Amino acid sequence: GQSLEQPSEVTAVEGAIVQINCTYQTSGFYGLSWYQQHDGGAPTFLSYNALDGLEETGRFSSFLSRSDSYGYLLLQELQMKDSASYFCAVSGPGNYQLIWGAGTKLIIKP
Amino acid sequence: DGGITQSPKYLFRKEGQNVTLSCEQNLNHDAMYWYRQDPGQGLRLIYYSQIVNDFQKGDIAEGYSVSREKKESFPLTVTSAQKNPTAFYLCASTDWDRNTEAFFGQGTRLTVV
């Protein structure tokens, strides 16, 4: 079957760094995406990795290792507004579907 | 501005009624999706469509129906056969090119009263 695993909840302190991991098992793989969702809102796109390595966008970075079927989202200089749920998703060939993880709730304490 | 518009934002349904949720996009995307999200949970795929006049069942299609008569529109009907329809419904679209980014509407919160 196809599945993605990510921690259900992560707690961190304002100003700190936090890493949210995602491991996947899918029949095809084009890339790994990350989305942020605030309570009551819609998911918004953060990043996409198709190749191994680190992609940096401001305070957020995303990493992919295709050989390990693993990726992570790194958030630096945490702010209270970063409190949200973060989803990883895998896109694969053939059927236009995105396979979604169950989401990680990030709790930030002052 | 390009984007996806869902309406209404809040919807109340009486038991036994069918209701239709609207989803319109002007991004010229080929693929469109409907997801259901329950409190504290992830996204579950209801239906998706790759092209006009074609759609496929997702993981939880029972009690739902869709149509794709136009590229821009992908309405979802929640039928009376859906026994637990209270949830947050999200419509999304992606370009055909490897789904690198999904764009979401603001969502419709459906409550059965």
Side-chain angles (χ1 to χ4, degrees), chain B residues 8-94:
Chain B
K9 188 171 183 180
Y10 298 96
L11 185 59
F12 296 89
R13 188 195 95 169
K14 293 182 179 179
E15 287 192 19
Q17 279 185 337
N18 293 354
V19 291
T20 297
L21 283 59
S22 170
C23 179
E24 303 276 335
Q25 56 101 354
N26 60 3
L27 299 165
N28 200 34
H29 283 170
D30 291 301
M32 296 187 73
Y33 310 80
W34 275 105
Y35 292 97
R36 170 179 171 142
Q37 188 175 37
D38 293 289
Q41 304 297 312
L43 305 178
R44 292 191 289 168
L45 182 65
I46 304 172
Y47 270 97
Y48 68 100
S49 169
Q50 300 175 19
I51 56 172
V52 174
N53 292 323
D54 184 61
F55 46 83
Q56 307 295 328
K57 292 182 179 180
D59 300 320
I60 55 166
E62 185 174 353
Y64 301 96
S65 65
V66 294
S67 63
R68 187 86 185 275
E69 298 177 359
K70 300 185 300 181
K71 187 175 185 178
E72 302 79 16
S73 179
F74 192 41
L76 173 74
T77 296
V78 184
T79 74
S80 57
Q82 171 50 240
K83 297 307 178 187
N84 185 22
T86 295
F88 188 47
Y89 291 87
L90 288 158
C91 179
S93 72
T94 63

Side-chain angles (χ1 to χ4, degrees), chain A residues 24-78:
Chain A
Y24 59 88
Q25 182 177 358
T26 57
S27 57
F29 182 86
Y30 275 161
L32 182 70
S33 304
W34 288 93
Y35 291 79
Q36 179 192 60
Q37 185 182 30
H38 287 100
D39 284 346
T44 56
F45 174 80
L46 292 176
S47 67
Y48 175 79
N49 293 66
L51 302 175
D52 288 355
L54 190 68
E55 296 277 346
E56 298 182 61
T57 307
R59 295 188 296 113
F60 293 4
S61 302
S62 57
F63 172 83
L64 175 66
S65 169
R66 295 174 67 117
S67 61
D68 295 323
S69 297
Y70 162 76
Y72 65 72
L73 180 69
L74 190 73
L75 296 82
Q76 303 183 68
E77 301 173 15
L78 285 172

